[in-house]
Amino acid sequence: MARKSYLFTSESVSEGHPDKVCDRISDEVVDLFFREGAKAGIDPYQIRVACETLATTNRVVIAGEVRGPKITEDTIIHAARKAIRDIGYEQDGFHHENAKIEVLLHAQSADIAQGVDAAGNKDEGAGDQGIMFGYACRETPELMPAPIYYAHKILRLISEARHAGTEKFLGPDAKSQVTVRYENGVPVGVTQIVVSHQHIVEDLSSAEIRDIVEPYVRKALPADWITKDTVWHVNPTGKFFIGGPDGDCGLTGRKIIVDTYGGAAPHGGGAFSGKDPTKVDRSAAYAARYLAKNVVAAGLADRCTLQLSYAIGVAQPLSIYADLHDTGKVDIDKLEKVLMNIMSLSPRGIREHLKLNKPIYARTSAFGHFGREPDAEGGFSWEKTDLVEQLKAQF
């Protein structure tokens, strides 16, 4: 029987965290291929990107496999420098102008391509085998778990202030963590708050950083969630002057729980950033979130976890599994069948339904891929709840 009263913790990291710098650069490469492909008149279904980035002290290495428009190394390097500058890195150990950037992208394997490409009567296959999960719940208006939602919101508000020039003493690198107290299954408060934030003035104390960040924490959280008993940990090591890849090596895909549900739901086998939507690690995880969110938004359950599975080169998912966590109001067997029919879950079907063949990926690289507002350019289309009426009609 599920526990009703407990503590649960989730963390977030800012766009300047070393791993997130790498996620951003990798996703900028994906966007670049879609953008340049459109200019060159290349079928977006033929574009392939699997890009990994490593960043350390004034060094960036971009590697992986690609197919599509001819893009020069200088163009890719320029996109990486622009991303680093936008994040805000102009420190001695990591500077958008001075970092040495190496590009090691090469053509996609022909063996992989033959399994993925559509040919004759064969539909486009999945780019790899794997399992993907989607989740939604009623803990926030965005149908996200409260701990990860508020951990993201804290850093997003601080980042917005930093980019606006309001907080001139803060650097790009930051982490947050919130421990949420649940009573009868409902989030009601926070017992612990952690914020570690880089500062660009070396001699700032933890107390001074708390004075800067505390208003944003209080703005992010519900008003009555912070009490006199809430414990604060702000820059608990005392100083956080050396940040970003200069302080800690970064790699694409190392913050997958931050990217999804903060540990409140399972995560599949792969990361998202740097991958075009033939990679079901990314596109099927978006589809699973989309379907789970619509199930909850339609009132069919208060919580929903969906699992999809795929085999490389095979178009249709091998399985779908739904768990409504004893909150369901419909038959689960029927729900699984309905979800398989309401939307094509082949890689091509997902791309068409969610309109994923666009340069919309760099914006996903920080503050989570889920719980975000769909935008006018097509970003975060998987957060729409446009299946609600169809789902209601089925039941």
Side-chain angles (χ1 to χ4, degrees), residues 166-354:
T166 304
E167 300 299 347
K168 300 181 184 300
F169 295 148
L170 299 181
D173 196 356
K175 301 177 81 170
S176 67
Q177 187 168 284
V178 293
T179 299
V180 174
R181 180 168 59 88
Y182 286 76
E183 291 183 359
N184 295 319
V186 178
V188 296
V190 290
T191 62
Q192 306 268 346
I193 296 169
V194 183
V195 179
S196 295
H197 212 298
Q198 182 189 13
H199 45 93
I200 59 176
V201 176
E202 187 167 2
D203 59 356
L204 288 180
S205 67
S206 296
E208 289 171 313
I209 295 299
R210 175 168 173 174
D211 288 341
I212 294 172
V213 304
E214 183 171 343
Y216 299 103
V217 176
R218 291 187 177 276
K219 182 179 179 182
L221 294 168
D224 58 345
W225 278 27
I226 300 175
T227 70
K228 61 181 178 56
D229 297 320
T230 301
V231 179
W232 292 70
H233 307 273
V234 178
N235 283 16
T237 61
K239 186 169 77 169
F240 187 3
F241 179 65
I242 300 172
D246 187 30
D248 188 13
C249 181
L251 288 169
T252 300
R254 279 204 304 201
K255 285 289 175 283
I256 58 176
I257 301 303
V258 170
D259 286 341
T260 55
Y261 308 102
H267 191 287
F272 302 159
S273 289
K275 298 176 180 177
D276 75 76
T278 64
K279 282 72 173 175
V280 283
D281 283 338
R282 178 170 225 160
S283 56
Y286 290 171
R289 160 64 178 175
Y290 173 66
L291 292 176
K293 185 175 184 181
N294 275 271
V295 166
V296 174
L300 307 186
D302 294 331
R303 291 173 62 200
C304 178
T305 298
L306 289 179
Q307 184 204 59
L308 301 172
S309 70
Y310 291 83
I312 187 168
V314 179
Q316 295 300 322
L318 309 186
S319 65
I320 182 171
Y321 167 77
D323 183 355
L324 303 182
H325 305 277
D326 297 322
T327 70
K329 302 169 179 62
V330 296
D331 179 75
I332 296 181
D333 290 334
K334 180 180 178 181
L335 177 64
E336 291 171 347
K337 292 182 175 66
V338 167
L339 294 177
M340 287 286 282
N341 291 327
I342 206 168
M343 171 187 177
S344 171
L345 293 173
S346 69
R348 179 175 284 267
I350 293 170
R351 287 212 274 179
E352 291 176 348
H353 191 104
L354 297 179

Side-chain angles (χ1 to χ4, degrees), residues 12-184:
S12 180
V13 297
S14 72
E15 77 269 42
H17 184 280
D19 297 328
K20 282 289 148 198
V21 172
C22 294
D23 284 347
R24 170 69 178 272
I25 292 171
S26 294
D27 276 335
E28 290 285 0
V29 173
V30 177
D31 285 355
L32 184 62
F33 269 77
F34 275 113
R35 197 175 293 116
E36 294 302 309
K39 291 179 184 177
I42 294 174
D43 180 0
Y45 287 97
Q46 298 303 311
I47 289 173
R48 303 285 185 266
V49 183
C51 178
E52 313 290 345
T53 302
L54 175 148
T56 186
T57 302
N58 272 333
R59 186 71 183 267
V60 175
V61 179
I62 303 170
E65 303 80 47
V66 296
R67 188 178 78 186
K70 300 297 183 183
I71 300 177
T72 66
E73 285 190 11
D74 286 346
T75 301
I76 293 169
I77 290 170
H78 175 72
R81 293 196 191 283
K82 187 171 179 290
I84 296 167
R85 183 184 64 196
D86 183 60
I87 292 167
Y89 276 114
E90 295 183 337
Q91 61 194 43
D92 290 342
F94 197 70
H95 196 295
H96 61 88
E97 292 180 346
N98 303 330
K100 181 180 179 181
I101 301 177
E102 187 174 8
V103 178
L104 302 173
L105 296 171
H106 60 86
Q108 183 190 41
S109 161
D111 289 349
I112 294 176
Q114 71 176 350
V116 176
D117 291 343
N121 293 324
K122 175 186 172 297
D123 195 2
E124 180 180 293
D128 202 350
Q129 69 176 45
I131 57 172
M132 299 83 209
F133 287 92
Y135 181 73
C137 62
R138 294 197 180 280
E139 294 179 16
T140 62
E142 291 75 13
L143 305 184
M144 285 289 287
I148 188 66
Y149 174 79
Y150 291 113
H152 283 324
K153 190 173 181 180
I154 289 167
L155 293 185
R156 192 171 68 248
L157 292 177
I158 297 173
S159 176
E160 290 169 356
R162 183 175 63 82
H163 283 292
T166 304
E167 300 299 347
K168 300 181 184 300
F169 295 148
L170 299 181
D173 196 356
K175 301 177 81 170
S176 67
Q177 187 168 284
V178 293
T179 299
V180 174
R181 180 168 59 88
Y182 286 76
E183 291 183 359
N184 295 319

